């Protein structure tokens, strides 16, 4: 028997399993990948935030990983932590959620609590998940509990994790919320009760839409500040000294990860499909952030032109190709469209990332063995992601041209900032 079965043992589900197992909860980790299951049962981690030692401690505490969906019936609580990507038309792809929910419905028993954590559009828990779970005759709020609790995992964040990040919970009924809150309250420091599932679903979308829009704001400011000869990084440093009414956001080569480029689109799609009008802030922010790689390419063209070099045939070195610093996660990394557009214009693109040994998303880009040698050979080096292992100032001094998209390099004749 298990206290909880967590469906999806990735960046969201596995840290949740880890924290639950630490307080003695008997955790069953369900995943459709036999390779992941075998690795976890042998004590091997596949995500940045947990080490092999962490996984071994889970196993020692009774954690088991499995591909056997029949074992879901053993658990008192089932938490769904599957991916929610975008479809080809930019709308939400509920395929993974639908597959997971149908699997749960085949093994659902009276008295269980089912919690959806996967980010999605408002109404999904009630309109998509509940009808499938009730097909067998059990009724949500009466025979089983149903709730939504948005995942708030920030991969690579050394300060906030699954335990000390407040957990928002919205139930189909108050009793459903009570059951979900009691589960999370056993290992999460703070549980926040939302009015219902729709409010909990929308809270997650608001959080990431807020970031998405503010990142777009500074990305657009980066463009005109460059044209006006204004140092935006100095502007931000000055503005953030105000102790109220301002939160610093920073420009970059685009947005990446499993949340910011995706979640606001779920909200925008929901508004358009249900209400018939656009969520203009989100769509404008998406347009600005999505065009940042192209803007970087134009800046590269201009910088090489100053050195009397064409972009075609020039060697461009990308430093850091993950979506955020100090982790190996490459999901939706803006380095991908940046490299692809440079290659399309004839550049010889090379890369170095201490976290990435093989960049399957851009096979045409060759990984260099020595970053120190590569920066001296490249016609232009771009700091795309600032991993802590990079000695940025030393690399900038060795480079022929150094384009800093993260605002961390010291001023110099060969250094240009976004």
């Amino acid at each position: 028997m298990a206290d909880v079965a967590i469906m999806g043992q990735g960046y969201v589900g596995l840290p949740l399993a880890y924290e639950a197992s630490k307080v003695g909860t008997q955790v069953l980790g369900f995943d459709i990948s036999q390779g992941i299951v075998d690795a976890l049962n042998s004590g091997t981690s596949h995500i940045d935030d947990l080490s092999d030692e962490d996984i071994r401690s889970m196993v020692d505490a009774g954690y088991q990983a499995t591909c056997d969906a029949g074992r879901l019936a053993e658990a008192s609580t089932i938490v769904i932590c599957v991916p929610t990507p975008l479809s080809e038309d930019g709308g939400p792809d509920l395929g993974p959620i639908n597959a997971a929910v149908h699997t749960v419905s085949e093994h659902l028993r009276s008295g269980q609590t089912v919690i959806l954590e996967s980010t999605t559009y408002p109404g999904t828990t009630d309109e998509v998940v509940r009808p499938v779970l009730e097909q067998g005759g059990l009724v949500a709020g009466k025979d089983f509990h149903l709730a939504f609790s948005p995942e708030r995992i920030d991969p690579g964040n050394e300060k906030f994790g699954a335990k000390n990040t407040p957990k928002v919970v919205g139930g189909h009924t108050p009793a459903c919320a009570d059951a979900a809150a009691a589960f999370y309250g056993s290992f999460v420091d703070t549980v926040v009760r939302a009015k219902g599932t729709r409010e909990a679903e929308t809270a997650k979308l608001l959080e990431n839409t807020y970031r998405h829009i503010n990142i777009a704001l500074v990305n657009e400011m980066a463009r005109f500040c460059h044209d006006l000869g204004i140092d935006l990084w100095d502007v931000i440093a000055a503005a953030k000294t105000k102790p109220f009414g301002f939160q610093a956001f920073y420009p970059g080569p685009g947005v990446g990860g499993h949340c910011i480029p995706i979640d606001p689109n779920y909200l925008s799609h929901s508004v358009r499909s249900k209400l018939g009008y656009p969520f203009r802030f989100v769509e404008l922010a998406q347009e600005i952030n999505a065009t940042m790689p192209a803007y970087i390419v134009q800046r590269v063209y201009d910088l090489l032109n100053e050195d009397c070099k064409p972009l075609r045939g020039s060697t461009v070195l990308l430093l850091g190709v993950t979506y955020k610093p100090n982790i190996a996660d490459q999901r939706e990394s803006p380095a991908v469209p940046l490299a692809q557009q440079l290659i399309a214009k004839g550049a010889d693109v090379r890369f170095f990332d201490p976290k990435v040994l093989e960049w399957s998303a851009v096979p045409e880009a060759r990984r260099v063995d020595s970053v120190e040698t590569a920066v001296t050979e490249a016609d232009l080096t771009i700091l795309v992601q600032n991993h802590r292992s990079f000695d940025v100032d030393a690399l900038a001094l060795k480079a022929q041209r150094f384009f800093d998209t993260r605002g961390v390099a010291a001023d110099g004749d060969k250094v240009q900032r976004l």
Side-chain angles (χ1 to χ4, degrees), residues 236-260:
I236 296 171
K240 73 177 184 180
T241 61
K242 186 179 182 181
F244 55 89
F246 181 82
Q247 180 180 356
F249 287 83
Y250 299 91
V255 293
H258 64 296
C259 289
I260 304 301

Side-chain angles (χ1 to χ4, degrees), residues 184-205:
Y184 287 118
S186 66
F187 61 92
V188 175
D189 293 343
T190 305
V191 176
V192 179
R193 295 281 291 267
K195 186 176 181 180
T197 57
R198 292 172 186 264
E199 286 75 16
E201 290 163 339
T202 309
K204 173 60 185 294
L205 299 179

Side-chain angles (χ1 to χ4, degrees), residues 96-132:
I97 289 180
N98 286 329
V101 173
H102 277 90
T103 299
V104 172
S105 70
E106 294 171 357
H107 305 284
L108 184 66
R109 59 176 175 79
S110 181
Q112 285 183 306
T113 297
V114 180
I115 306 170
L116 177 64
E117 283 209 8
S118 306
T119 305
T120 184
Y121 61 84
T124 300
T125 305
D126 188 56
E127 299 168 5
V128 177
V129 176
R130 183 173 61 86
V132 174

Side-chain angles (χ1 to χ4, degrees), residues 155-413:
N157 192 320
E158 298 176 353
K159 184 177 180 181
F160 292 105
K163 184 180 188 303
N164 64 349
T165 301
K167 204 78 175 78
V168 173
V169 171
H172 176 62
T173 66
C176 292
D178 290 341
F183 164 70
Y184 287 118
S186 66
F187 61 92
V188 175
D189 293 343
T190 305
V191 176
V192 179
R193 295 281 291 267
K195 186 176 181 180
T197 57
R198 292 172 186 264
E199 286 75 16
E201 290 163 339
T202 309
K204 173 60 185 294
L205 299 179
L206 175 60
E207 293 168 14
N208 286 331
T209 298
Y210 169 81
R211 292 188 63 202
H212 187 55
I213 289 172
N214 280 281
I215 291 170
L217 170 64
V218 292
N219 276 337
E220 187 161 40
M221 288 191 72
R223 301 187 187 199
F224 70 71
C225 280
H226 170 70
D227 291 339
L228 295 173
I230 298 170
D231 186 338
L232 176 60
W233 304 95
D234 190 61
V235 170
I236 296 171
K240 73 177 184 180
T241 61
K242 186 179 182 181
F244 55 89
F246 181 82
Q247 180 180 356
F249 287 83
Y250 299 91
V255 293
H258 64 296
C259 289
I260 304 301
I262 295 174
D263 296 354
N265 286 325
Y266 273 66
L267 189 53
S268 176
H269 183 274
S270 180
V271 171
R272 273 192 176 274
S273 61
K274 293 183 177 181
L275 302 178
Y277 54 80
F279 191 168
R280 290 181 291 175
F281 264 120
V282 168
E283 295 182 5
L284 180 59
Q286 180 65 21
E287 177 186 334
I288 293 169
N289 289 333
T291 58
M292 285 306 291
Y295 173 71
I296 299 297
V297 171
Q298 182 59 51
R299 290 284 300 275
V300 168
Y301 176 88
D302 293 339
L303 289 170
L304 288 171
N305 190 54
E306 290 179 11
D307 294 336
C308 299
K309 295 179 179 179
L311 178 56
R312 181 173 297 278
S314 289
T315 299
V316 178
L317 175 66
L318 306 183
L319 299 181
V321 297
T322 58
Y323 91 86
K324 66 182 300 185
N326 310 316
I327 65 171
D329 196 344
Q330 302 171 44
R331 288 175 293 175
E332 307 297 328
S333 172
V336 174
L338 173 58
Q340 290 172 337
Q341 291 180 42
L342 287 169
I343 291 169
K345 292 185 178 299
D348 175 12
V349 175
R350 303 174 187 181
F351 79 96
F352 181 82
D353 192 308
K355 300 289 186 179
V356 179
L357 298 180
E358 183 178 350
W359 199 14
S360 58
V362 189
E364 303 93 337
R366 179 169 66 86
R367 187 182 193 276
V368 300
D369 296 322
S370 170
V371 64
E372 289 80 8
T373 300
V375 294
T376 63
E377 296 176 348
D379 295 291
L380 185 142
T381 298
I382 308 175
L383 180 65
V384 183
Q385 194 53 263
N386 183 29
H387 294 299
R388 67 167 63 93
S389 61
F390 289 149
D391 186 341
V392 174
D393 289 338
L395 294 173
L397 285 173
K398 293 180 179 180
Q400 296 183 43
R401 276 276 190 174
F402 195 87
F403 186 17
D404 176 14
T405 72
R406 297 298 176 177
V408 295
D411 291 336
D413 293 338

Side-chain angles (χ1 to χ4, degrees), residues 3-27:
D3 296 316
V4 60
I6 300 176
M7 302 184 71
Q9 293 297 278
Y11 283 90
V12 175
L14 198 54
L16 193 70
Y18 175 68
E19 293 297 341
S21 67
K22 284 174 65 177
V23 299
T25 303
Q26 292 301 296
V27 180

Side-chain angles (χ1 to χ4, degrees), residues 38-61:
D38 291 343
L40 291 173
N41 284 330
S42 66
T44 302
S45 178
H46 64 284
I47 68 171
D48 294 286
D49 290 344
L50 294 175
S51 65
D52 291 350
E53 183 179 352
D54 292 329
I55 303 301
R56 288 193 293 269
S57 71
M58 291 169 57
V59 174
D60 291 342

